[in-house]
Coordinates of all heavy atoms in Angstrom, one line a residue:
M24 N 6.4 -14.5 1.4 CA 5.4 -13.4 1.4 C 6.0 -12.2 2.1 O 6.5 -12.4 3.2 CB 4.1 -13.9 2.2 CG 2.9 -13.1 2.0 SD 2.3 -12.8 0.4 CE 2.2 -14.4 -0.3
T25 N 6.1 -11.1 1.4 CA 6.8 -10.0 2.0 C 5.9 -9.0 2.8 O 6.4 -8.0 3.3 CB 7.6 -9.2 0.9 OG1 6.6 -8.7 0.0 CG2 8.6 -10.1 0.3
S26 N 4.6 -9.3 2.8 CA 3.7 -8.4 3.5 C 3.7 -8.8 5.0 O 4.3 -9.9 5.4 CB 2.3 -8.5 3.0 OG 1.8 -9.8 3.1
A27 N 3.1 -8.0 5.9 CA 3.1 -8.3 7.3 C 2.2 -9.4 7.7 O 2.3 -10.1 8.7 CB 2.7 -7.0 8.1
T28 N 1.2 -9.7 6.8 CA 0.3 -10.8 7.0 C 0.2 -11.7 5.8 O 0.6 -11.3 4.7 CB -1.2 -10.2 7.2 OG1 -1.6 -9.5 6.1 CG2 -1.2 -9.4 8.5
R29 N -0.2 -12.9 6.0 CA -0.3 -13.8 4.9 C -1.4 -13.4 3.9 O -2.3 -12.7 4.2 CB -0.7 -15.2 5.4 CG 0.4 -15.9 6.2 CD 0.0 -17.3 6.6 NE 1.1 -17.9 7.4 CZ 1.3 -19.2 7.4 NH1 0.6 -20.0 6.7 NH2 2.3 -19.6 8.2
S30 N -1.1 -13.8 2.7 CA -2.0 -13.4 1.5 C -3.2 -14.3 1.5 O -3.1 -15.6 1.8 CB -1.2 -13.6 0.2 OG -2.2 -13.5 -0.9
G31 N -4.4 -13.7 1.3 CA -5.6 -14.5 1.1 C -5.5 -15.5 -0.1 O -6.1 -16.5 -0.1
A32 N -4.7 -15.1 -1.1 CA -4.5 -15.9 -2.3 C -3.6 -17.1 -2.0 O -3.7 -18.2 -2.7 CB -4.0 -15.1 -3.4
L33 N -2.7 -16.9 -1.1 CA -1.7 -18.0 -0.8 C -1.5 -18.2 0.7 O -0.5 -17.9 1.3 CB -0.3 -17.7 -1.4 CG -0.3 -17.6 -2.9 CD1 1.0 -16.9 -3.4 CD2 -0.5 -18.9 -3.6
P34 N -2.6 -18.5 1.4 CA -2.6 -18.6 2.8 C -1.6 -19.5 3.4 O -1.2 -19.4 4.6 CB -4.0 -18.9 3.2 CG -4.6 -19.6 2.0 CD -3.9 -19.0 0.9
E35 N -1.1 -20.5 2.7 CA -0.2 -21.5 3.2 C 1.2 -21.0 3.1 O 2.2 -21.6 3.7 CB -0.3 -22.8 2.4 CG 0.2 -22.8 1.0 CD -0.8 -22.1 0.0 OE1 -1.9 -21.6 0.3 OE2 -0.4 -22.0 -1.2
V36 N 1.5 -19.9 2.4 CA 2.9 -19.3 2.3 C 3.1 -18.4 3.5 O 2.4 -17.4 3.7 CB 3.0 -18.6 1.0 CG1 4.4 -17.9 1.0 CG2 2.8 -19.5 -0.2
P37 N 4.1 -18.7 4.4 CA 4.4 -17.9 5.5 C 5.0 -16.6 5.2 O 5.7 -16.5 4.1 CB 5.4 -18.8 6.4 CG 6.0 -19.7 5.4 CD 5.0 -19.9 4.3
T38 N 4.9 -15.6 6.0 CA 5.5 -14.3 5.8 C 7.0 -14.4 6.1 O 7.4 -15.4 6.8 CB 4.9 -13.3 6.7 OG1 5.2 -13.6 8.1 CG2 3.4 -13.1 6.5
I39 N 7.7 -13.4 5.7 CA 9.1 -13.4 6.0 C 9.3 -13.3 7.5 O 10.2 -13.9 8.0 CB 9.8 -12.2 5.3 CG1 10.0 -12.5 3.8 CG2 11.2 -11.9 5.9 CD1 10.7 -11.5 2.9
A40 N 8.5 -12.5 8.2 CA 8.6 -12.4 9.7 C 8.4 -13.8 10.3 O 9.1 -14.1 11.2 CB 7.5 -11.4 10.2
E41 N 7.5 -14.6 9.8 CA 7.2 -15.9 10.3 C 8.4 -16.8 10.0 O 8.6 -17.8 10.7 CB 6.0 -16.5 9.7 CG 4.7 -15.9 10.2 CD 3.5 -16.4 9.4 OE1 3.5 -16.6 8.2 OE2 2.5 -16.5 10.1
Q42 N 9.2 -16.5 9.1 CA 10.4 -17.3 8.7 C 11.7 -16.8 9.3 O 12.8 -17.2 9.0 CB 10.6 -17.3 7.2 CG 9.4 -18.0 6.5 CD 9.6 -18.1 5.0 OE1 10.6 -18.7 4.5 NE2 8.7 -17.5 4.3
G43 N 11.6 -15.8 10.3 CA 12.7 -15.4 11.1 C 13.3 -14.0 10.8 O 14.3 -13.7 11.3
L44 N 12.6 -13.2 10.0 CA 13.0 -11.8 9.8 C 12.0 -10.9 10.2 O 11.2 -10.2 9.4 CB 13.4 -11.7 8.3 CG 14.1 -10.4 7.9 CD1 15.4 -10.2 8.7 CD2 14.4 -10.3 6.4
P45 N 11.8 -10.7 11.5 CA 10.7 -9.8 12.0 C 10.9 -8.4 11.6 O 12.0 -7.9 11.5 CB 10.7 -10.0 13.5 CG 12.1 -10.5 13.8 CD 12.6 -11.2 12.6
G46 N 9.8 -7.7 11.4 CA 9.9 -6.3 11.0 C 10.0 -6.0 9.5 O 9.9 -4.8 9.1
Y47 N 10.3 -7.0 8.7 CA 10.5 -6.8 7.3 C 9.1 -6.8 6.6 O 8.3 -7.6 6.9 CB 11.3 -7.9 6.7 CG 11.6 -7.7 5.2 CD1 12.6 -6.9 4.7 CD2 10.7 -8.2 4.3 CE1 12.8 -6.7 3.4 CE2 10.9 -8.0 2.9 CZ 11.9 -7.2 2.5 OH 12.1 -7.1 1.1
Q48 N 9.0 -5.8 5.8 CA 7.8 -5.7 5.0 C 8.1 -4.9 3.7 O 8.6 -3.8 3.7 CB 6.6 -5.0 5.7 CG 5.4 -4.8 4.9 CD 4.2 -4.2 5.7 OE1 4.0 -4.7 6.8 NE2 3.5 -3.3 5.1
A49 N 7.7 -5.5 2.6 CA 7.8 -4.8 1.3 C 6.6 -5.2 0.5 O 6.4 -6.3 0.2 CB 9.1 -5.3 0.6
I50 N 5.8 -4.1 0.3 CA 4.5 -4.4 -0.4 C 4.4 -3.4 -1.6 O 5.0 -2.4 -1.6 CB 3.3 -4.2 0.6 CG1 3.3 -2.7 1.1 CG2 3.3 -5.2 1.7 CD1 2.1 -2.4 1.9
T51 N 3.5 -3.8 -2.5 CA 3.2 -2.9 -3.6 C 2.1 -2.0 -3.1 O 1.1 -2.5 -2.5 CB 2.6 -3.8 -4.8 OG1 3.7 -4.7 -5.2 CG2 2.2 -2.9 -5.9
W52 N 2.2 -0.8 -3.4 CA 1.1 0.2 -3.0 C 0.9 1.1 -4.2 O 1.7 1.5 -5.0 CB 1.4 0.9 -1.8 CG 2.8 1.5 -1.6 CD1 3.9 0.8 -1.2 CD2 3.1 2.8 -1.8 NE1 4.9 1.7 -1.1 CE2 4.5 3.0 -1.5 CE3 2.5 4.0 -2.2 CZ2 5.2 4.2 -1.5 CZ3 3.1 5.2 -2.3 CH2 4.5 5.3 -2.0
I53 N -0.4 1.5 -4.3 CA -0.9 2.4 -5.4 C -1.8 3.4 -4.7 O -2.6 3.0 -3.8 CB -1.6 1.6 -6.4 CG1 -0.8 0.5 -7.1 CG2 -2.2 2.5 -7.5 CD1 -1.5 -0.5 -8.0
G54 N -1.7 4.6 -5.1 CA -2.6 5.6 -4.6 C -3.0 6.6 -5.7 O -2.4 6.6 -6.8
F55 N -3.9 7.4 -5.3 CA -4.4 8.5 -6.2 C -3.8 9.8 -5.8 O -3.7 10.1 -4.6 CB -5.9 8.6 -6.2 CG -6.6 7.4 -6.8 CD1 -7.1 6.4 -6.0 CD2 -6.7 7.2 -8.2 CE1 -7.7 5.3 -6.5 CE2 -7.3 6.1 -8.7 CZ -7.8 5.1 -7.8
Y56 N -3.3 10.6 -6.8 CA -2.8 11.8 -6.5 C -3.4 12.9 -7.4 O -3.9 12.6 -8.5 CB -1.2 11.8 -6.8 CG -0.4 10.9 -5.9 CD1 -0.4 9.5 -6.2 CD2 0.1 11.4 -4.8 CE1 0.3 8.7 -5.4 CE2 0.9 10.6 -3.9 CZ 0.9 9.2 -4.2 OH 1.6 8.4 -3.4
G57 N -3.5 14.1 -6.9 CA -4.0 15.2 -7.6 C -3.0 16.4 -7.6 O -1.9 16.3 -7.1
P58 N -3.4 17.5 -8.3 CA -2.5 18.6 -8.4 C -2.3 19.2 -7.0 O -3.1 19.1 -6.1 CB -3.2 19.6 -9.3 CG -4.6 19.2 -9.3 CD -4.6 17.7 -9.0
A59 N -1.1 19.9 -6.9 CA -0.9 20.7 -5.6 C -2.0 21.6 -5.4 O -2.6 22.2 -6.3 CB 0.4 21.4 -5.7
H60 N -2.4 21.8 -4.1 CA -3.4 22.8 -3.7 C -4.8 22.4 -4.2 O -5.7 23.3 -4.3 CB -3.0 24.2 -4.1 CG -1.6 24.6 -3.8 ND1 -1.1 24.7 -2.5 CD2 -0.6 24.8 -4.6 CE1 0.1 25.0 -2.5 NE2 0.5 25.1 -3.8
L61 N -5.0 21.1 -4.4 CA -6.4 20.7 -4.7 C -7.3 21.0 -3.6 O -6.9 20.7 -2.4 CB -6.4 19.2 -5.0 CG -7.6 18.5 -5.4 CD1 -8.0 19.0 -6.8 CD2 -7.5 17.0 -5.5
P62 N -8.4 21.6 -3.8 CA -9.3 21.9 -2.7 C -9.6 20.7 -1.9 O -9.9 19.6 -2.4 CB -10.5 22.5 -3.3 CG -10.0 23.0 -4.6 CD -9.0 22.1 -5.1
S63 N -9.6 20.8 -0.5 CA -9.7 19.6 0.3 C -11.1 19.0 0.1 O -11.2 17.7 0.2 CB -9.6 20.0 1.8 OG -10.6 21.0 2.2
A64 N -12.2 19.7 -0.2 CA -13.5 19.1 -0.4 C -13.4 18.2 -1.6 O -14.0 17.1 -1.6 CB -14.5 20.2 -0.6
I65 N -12.7 18.6 -2.7 CA -12.6 17.7 -3.8 C -11.8 16.5 -3.5 O -12.1 15.4 -3.9 CB -12.0 18.5 -5.0 CG1 -13.0 19.6 -5.5 CG2 -11.7 17.6 -6.2 CD1 -12.5 20.5 -6.5
A66 N -10.6 16.7 -2.8 CA -9.8 15.6 -2.5 C -10.5 14.6 -1.6 O -10.4 13.4 -1.8 CB -8.5 16.1 -1.8
E67 N -11.3 15.1 -0.6 CA -12.1 14.2 0.2 C -13.1 13.4 -0.6 O -13.3 12.2 -0.3 CB -12.7 15.0 1.3 CG -11.7 15.5 2.4 CD -12.3 16.5 3.3 OE1 -13.6 16.6 3.4 OE2 -11.5 17.1 4.1
R68 N -13.8 14.1 -1.5 CA -14.8 13.4 -2.3 C -14.2 12.3 -3.2 O -14.6 11.2 -3.3 CB -15.5 14.4 -3.2 CG -16.5 13.8 -4.1 CD -17.8 13.4 -3.4 NE -18.7 12.9 -4.3 CZ -19.5 11.9 -4.2 NH1 -19.4 11.1 -3.1 NH2 -20.4 11.5 -5.1
L69 N -13.0 12.6 -3.8 CA -12.3 11.6 -4.6 C -11.8 10.4 -3.8 O -11.9 9.3 -4.2 CB -11.1 12.3 -5.4 CG -11.5 13.3 -6.5 CD1 -10.3 14.0 -7.0 CD2 -12.3 12.6 -7.6
N70 N -11.3 10.7 -2.6 CA -10.9 9.7 -1.7 C -12.1 8.8 -1.3 O -12.0 7.6 -1.3 CB -10.2 10.3 -0.5 CG -9.8 9.2 0.5 OD1 -10.5 8.9 1.5 ND2 -8.6 8.6 0.2
A71 N -13.2 9.4 -1.0 CA -14.4 8.6 -0.6 C -14.9 7.7 -1.8 O -15.3 6.6 -1.6 CB -15.5 9.5 -0.2
L72 N -14.9 8.3 -3.0 CA -15.3 7.5 -4.2 C -14.3 6.4 -4.5 O -14.7 5.2 -4.8 CB -15.4 8.4 -5.4 CG -16.5 9.4 -5.4 CD1 -16.4 10.4 -6.5 CD2 -17.9 8.6 -5.5
A73 N -13.0 6.6 -4.4 CA -12.0 5.6 -4.6 C -12.2 4.4 -3.6 O -12.1 3.3 -3.9 CB -10.6 6.1 -4.6
R74 N -12.3 4.8 -2.3 CA -12.5 3.8 -1.2 C -13.7 3.0 -1.4 O -13.8 1.8 -1.2 CB -12.5 4.5 0.1 CG -11.1 5.1 0.5 CD -11.1 5.9 1.7 NE -11.1 5.0 2.9 CZ -11.3 5.4 4.1 NH1 -11.4 6.8 4.3 NH2 -11.3 4.6 5.1
A75 N -14.8 3.7 -1.8 CA -16.1 3.0 -2.1 C -15.9 2.0 -3.2 O -16.4 0.9 -3.2 CB -17.2 3.9 -2.3
S76 N -15.2 2.4 -4.2 CA -15.0 1.5 -5.4 C -14.2 0.3 -5.0 O -14.5 -0.8 -5.3 CB -14.3 2.3 -6.5 OG -14.0 1.5 -7.6
V77 N -13.1 0.5 -4.3 CA -12.2 -0.6 -3.9 C -12.9 -1.5 -3.0 O -12.7 -2.8 -3.1 CB -10.9 0.0 -3.2 CG1 -10.2 -1.1 -2.5 CG2 -10.0 0.6 -4.2
N78 N -13.8 -1.1 -2.2 CA -14.5 -1.9 -1.3 C -15.9 -2.4 -1.8 O -16.6 -3.1 -1.0 CB -14.7 -1.2 0.1 CG -13.4 -1.0 0.8 OD1 -12.7 -2.0 1.1 ND2 -13.0 0.2 1.1
S79 N -16.2 -2.1 -3.0 CA -17.5 -2.5 -3.5 C -17.6 -4.0 -3.7 O -16.6 -4.8 -3.9 CB -17.7 -1.8 -4.9 OG -16.9 -2.4 -5.9
A80 N -18.8 -4.5 -3.7 CA -19.1 -5.9 -3.9 C -18.6 -6.4 -5.3 O -18.2 -7.6 -5.5 CB -20.5 -6.2 -3.8
A81 N -18.5 -5.5 -6.3 CA -18.0 -5.9 -7.6 C -16.5 -5.9 -7.6 O -16.0 -6.8 -8.3 CB -18.5 -4.8 -8.6
A82 N -15.8 -5.1 -6.9 CA -14.4 -5.1 -7.0 C -13.7 -6.1 -6.1 O -12.7 -6.7 -6.4 CB -13.9 -3.7 -6.6
R83 N -14.3 -6.4 -4.9 CA -13.6 -7.3 -4.0 C -13.3 -8.7 -4.6 O -12.1 -9.1 -4.5 CB -14.5 -7.5 -2.7 CG -14.4 -6.4 -1.8 CD -13.0 -6.5 -1.1 NE -12.8 -5.4 -0.2 CZ -11.7 -5.1 0.4 NH1 -10.6 -5.9 0.2 NH2 -11.6 -4.1 1.2
P84 N -14.2 -9.3 -5.4 CA -13.8 -10.6 -6.0 C -12.7 -10.5 -7.0 O -11.8 -11.3 -7.1 CB -15.1 -11.1 -6.7 CG -16.2 -10.3 -6.0 CD -15.6 -9.1 -5.6
W85 N -12.7 -9.3 -7.7 CA -11.6 -9.1 -8.7 C -10.2 -9.1 -8.0 O -9.3 -9.7 -8.4 CB -11.8 -7.9 -9.5 CG -10.8 -7.7 -10.5 CD1 -10.8 -8.1 -11.8 CD2 -9.5 -7.0 -10.4 NE1 -9.7 -7.8 -12.5 CE2 -8.9 -7.1 -11.6 CE3 -8.9 -6.3 -9.4 CZ2 -7.6 -6.5 -11.9 CZ3 -7.7 -5.8 -9.6 CH2 -7.0 -5.9 -10.8
F86 N -10.2 -8.3 -6.9 CA -8.9 -8.2 -6.2 C -8.5 -9.6 -5.6 O -7.4 -10.0 -5.8 CB -9.1 -7.2 -5.0 CG -9.0 -5.8 -5.4 CD1 -10.1 -5.0 -5.2 CD2 -7.9 -5.2 -5.9 CE1 -10.1 -3.6 -5.6 CE2 -7.8 -3.9 -6.3 CZ -8.9 -3.1 -6.1
K87 N -9.5 -10.3 -5.1 CA -9.2 -11.6 -4.5 C -8.7 -12.6 -5.6 O -7.6 -13.3 -5.4 CB -10.4 -12.2 -3.8 CG -10.1 -13.6 -3.2 CD -11.3 -14.1 -2.5 CE -11.0 -15.5 -1.8 NZ -12.2 -16.0 -1.2
D88 N -9.3 -12.6 -6.8 CA -8.9 -13.4 -7.9 C -7.6 -13.1 -8.4 O -6.9 -14.0 -9.0 CB -10.0 -13.4 -9.0 CG -11.3 -14.0 -8.6 OD1 -11.4 -14.7 -7.6 OD2 -12.3 -13.8 -9.4
N89 N -7.1 -11.9 -8.2 CA -5.8 -11.5 -8.7 C -4.8 -11.4 -7.6 O -3.7 -10.8 -7.8 CB -6.0 -10.1 -9.4 CG -6.6 -10.3 -10.8 OD1 -6.0 -10.7 -11.7 ND2 -7.9 -10.0 -10.8
G90 N -5.1 -12.0 -6.4 CA -4.1 -12.1 -5.3 C -3.8 -10.8 -4.6 O -2.8 -10.7 -4.0
A91 N -4.7 -9.8 -4.7 CA -4.5 -8.5 -4.1 C -5.3 -8.4 -2.8 O -6.4 -8.9 -2.7 CB -4.8 -7.4 -5.0
D92 N -4.8 -7.8 -1.8 CA -5.4 -7.4 -0.6 C -5.4 -5.9 -0.4 O -4.5 -5.4 0.2 CB -4.8 -8.1 0.6 CG -4.8 -9.6 0.6 OD1 -5.9 -10.1 0.3 OD2 -3.8 -10.3 0.8
P93 N -6.4 -5.2 -1.0 CA -6.3 -3.7 -1.0 C -6.5 -3.2 0.4 O -7.2 -3.7 1.2 CB -7.5 -3.3 -1.9 CG -8.4 -4.5 -1.9 CD -7.6 -5.7 -1.7
G94 N -5.8 -2.1 0.6 CA -5.9 -1.3 1.8 C -7.1 -0.4 1.8 O -7.8 -0.2 0.8
D95 N -7.3 0.3 2.9 CA -8.4 1.3 2.9 C -8.0 2.4 3.8 O -8.1 2.3 5.0 CB -9.6 0.6 3.4 CG -10.9 1.5 3.4 OD1 -10.8 2.6 2.8 OD2 -11.9 1.1 4.1
M96 N -7.4 3.4 3.3 CA -6.9 4.6 4.1 C -7.5 5.9 3.7 O -7.8 6.1 2.5 CB -5.4 4.7 3.8 CG -4.5 3.5 4.2 SD -2.8 3.9 3.9 CE -2.1 2.2 3.8
D97 N -7.7 6.7 4.7 CA -8.1 8.1 4.4 C -6.9 8.9 4.0 O -5.8 8.4 3.9 CB -8.9 8.7 5.5 CG -8.1 8.9 6.8 OD1 -6.8 9.1 6.7 OD2 -8.7 8.9 7.9
Q98 N -7.1 10.2 3.7 CA -6.0 11.0 3.1 C -4.8 11.1 4.1 O -3.6 11.0 3.8 CB -6.4 12.3 2.8 CG -7.4 12.4 1.6 CD -8.0 13.7 1.4 OE1 -9.1 14.0 1.9 NE2 -7.3 14.7 0.8
K99 N -5.1 11.3 5.4 CA -4.1 11.4 6.4 C -3.3 10.1 6.6 O -2.1 10.1 6.8 CB -4.6 12.0 7.7 CG -5.1 13.4 7.7 CD -5.6 13.9 9.0 CE -6.0 15.4 8.8 NZ -6.6 15.9 10.1
Q100 N -4.1 9.0 6.7 CA -3.4 7.7 6.8 C -2.5 7.4 5.7 O -1.4 6.9 5.9 CB -4.5 6.6 7.0 CG -5.3 6.7 8.2 CD -6.5 5.8 8.2 OE1 -7.2 5.6 7.1 NE2 -6.8 5.1 9.3
Y101 N -3.0 7.7 4.5 CA -2.1 7.5 3.3 C -0.9 8.3 3.3 O 0.2 7.9 3.0 CB -3.0 7.6 2.0 CG -2.2 7.2 0.8 CD1 -1.8 5.9 0.5 CD2 -1.8 8.2 -0.2 CE1 -1.1 5.6 -0.6 CE2 -1.1 7.8 -1.3 CZ -0.7 6.5 -1.5 OH 0.0 6.2 -2.6
A102 N -1.0 9.6 3.6 CA 0.1 10.5 3.6 C 1.1 10.0 4.6 O 2.3 10.0 4.4 CB -0.3 11.9 4.0
A103 N 0.7 9.6 5.8 CA 1.6 9.0 6.8 C 2.3 7.7 6.3 O 3.5 7.6 6.5 CB 0.9 8.8 8.1
F104 N 1.5 6.9 5.6 CA 2.0 5.7 5.1 C 3.1 6.0 4.0 O 4.2 5.4 4.1 CB 0.9 4.8 4.5 CG 1.4 3.6 3.7 CD1 1.8 2.5 4.4 CD2 1.4 3.7 2.3 CE1 2.3 1.4 3.6 CE2 1.9 2.6 1.6 CZ 2.3 1.4 2.3
V105 N 2.8 6.9 3.1 CA 3.8 7.2 2.1 C 5.1 7.8 2.7 O 6.2 7.4 2.3 CB 3.2 8.2 1.0 CG1 4.3 8.8 0.1 CG2 2.1 7.5 0.2
A106 N 4.9 8.7 3.7 CA 6.1 9.3 4.3 C 6.9 8.2 5.0 O 8.2 8.2 4.9 CB 5.7 10.3 5.4
S107 N 6.3 7.2 5.6 CA 7.0 6.1 6.3 C 7.7 5.2 5.2 O 8.9 4.9 5.4 CB 6.0 5.3 7.1 OG 6.6 4.1 7.6
E108 N 7.0 4.9 4.2 CA 7.7 4.1 3.1 C 8.9 4.8 2.5 O 9.9 4.2 2.2 CB 6.6 3.7 2.0 CG 5.6 2.7 2.4 CD 6.3 1.3 2.6 OE1 6.6 0.7 1.5 OE2 6.4 0.8 3.7
L109 N 8.7 6.1 2.2 CA 9.8 6.8 1.6 C 11.0 6.9 2.5 O 12.1 6.7 2.1 CB 9.3 8.2 1.2 CG 8.4 8.3 0.1 CD1 7.9 9.8 -0.2 CD2 8.9 7.7 -1.2
G110 N 10.7 7.1 3.8 CA 11.9 7.1 4.8 C 12.5 5.7 4.9 O 13.7 5.6 4.9
K111 N 11.7 4.7 4.9 CA 12.3 3.3 5.0 C 13.2 3.0 3.8 O 14.3 2.6 4.0 CB 11.2 2.3 5.1 CG 11.6 0.9 5.0 CD 10.5 -0.1 5.2 CE 9.7 -0.2 4.0 NZ 8.6 -1.3 4.1
W112 N 12.7 3.3 2.6 CA 13.4 2.9 1.4 C 14.6 3.9 1.2 O 15.6 3.5 0.7 CB 12.5 2.8 0.2 CG 11.6 1.7 0.4 CD1 10.3 1.7 0.5 CD2 12.0 0.3 0.4 NE1 9.8 0.4 0.7 CE2 10.8 -0.5 0.6 CE3 13.2 -0.4 0.3 CZ2 10.9 -1.9 0.8 CZ3 13.2 -1.8 0.5 CH2 12.1 -2.5 0.7
K113 N 14.5 5.1 1.6 CA 15.6 6.1 1.5 C 16.8 5.5 2.4 O 17.9 5.5 2.0 CB 15.2 7.5 2.0 CG 16.3 8.5 2.0 CD 15.9 9.8 2.4 CE 17.0 10.8 2.4 NZ 16.6 12.1 3.0
N114 N 16.5 5.1 3.6 CA 17.5 4.5 4.5 C 18.0 3.3 3.9 O 19.3 3.0 4.0 CB 16.9 4.3 5.9 CG 16.6 5.6 6.6 OD1 17.2 6.6 6.3 ND2 15.7 5.5 7.6
T115 N 17.2 2.4 3.3 CA 17.7 1.2 2.7 C 18.6 1.4 1.6 O 19.7 0.8 1.5 CB 16.5 0.3 2.3 OG1 15.6 0.1 3.4 CG2 16.9 -1.0 1.7
V116 N 18.3 2.3 0.7 CA 19.1 2.7 -0.4 C 20.4 3.3 0.1 O 21.5 3.0 -0.4 CB 18.4 3.7 -1.3 CG1 19.3 4.3 -2.4 CG2 17.2 3.0 -2.1
A117 N 20.4 4.2 1.1 CA 21.6 4.8 1.6 C 22.5 3.7 2.2 O 23.8 3.7 1.9 CB 21.3 5.8 2.6
R118 N 22.0 2.8 3.0 CA 22.8 1.7 3.6 C 23.4 0.8 2.6 O 24.5 0.3 2.7 CB 22.0 0.9 4.6 CG 21.7 1.6 5.9 CD 21.2 0.6 7.0 NE 20.1 -0.3 6.5 CZ 18.9 -0.1 6.5 NH1 18.4 1.1 6.9 NH2 18.0 -1.0 6.1
A119 N 22.7 0.6 1.4 CA 23.2 -0.3 0.4 C 24.2 0.5 -0.5 O 24.8 -0.2 -1.3 CB 22.0 -0.8 -0.5
G120 N 24.3 1.8 -0.4 CA 25.3 2.5 -1.2 C 24.8 2.7 -2.7 O 25.7 2.8 -3.5
V121 N 23.5 2.6 -2.9 CA 23.0 2.7 -4.3 C 23.1 4.1 -4.7 O 22.8 5.1 -4.0 CB 21.6 2.2 -4.3 CG1 21.0 2.4 -5.7 CG2 21.5 0.7 -3.9
S122 N 23.5 4.3 -6.0 CA 23.5 5.7 -6.5 C 23.0 5.6 -8.0 O 23.0 4.6 -8.6 CB 24.9 6.3 -6.6 OG 25.7 5.5 -7.4
V123 N 22.5 6.8 -8.4 CA 21.9 6.9 -9.8 C 22.9 7.7 -10.6 O 23.3 8.8 -10.2 CB 20.5 7.6 -9.7 CG1 20.0 7.7 -11.1 CG2 19.6 6.8 -8.9
D124 N 23.3 7.1 -11.7 CA 24.2 7.8 -12.6 C 23.5 8.7 -13.6 O 22.4 8.5 -14.0 CB 25.1 6.8 -13.4 CG 26.0 6.1 -12.4 OD1 26.4 6.6 -11.4 OD2 26.3 4.9 -12.8

């Protein structure tokens, strides 16, 4: 399990940290994006609707049945998360010497 916590779908599978590699985390993440300079009121409304949908009584069982543990971030939290992930993977790619031809 490459997330920081065990999966609800596979609670018996230990995380990589529990297996001796603390600090490692690689997760799938999906977010909603809009055009540059989208008015903040519209962005906030779309964020609220998306979060309500993900957290709805109808959606939660679907996520659980499909092994997903969805997050719940506001715009600032998500922007910070994306910046962190991009920095982490940029450094990982650089250390590995990966290049695109």
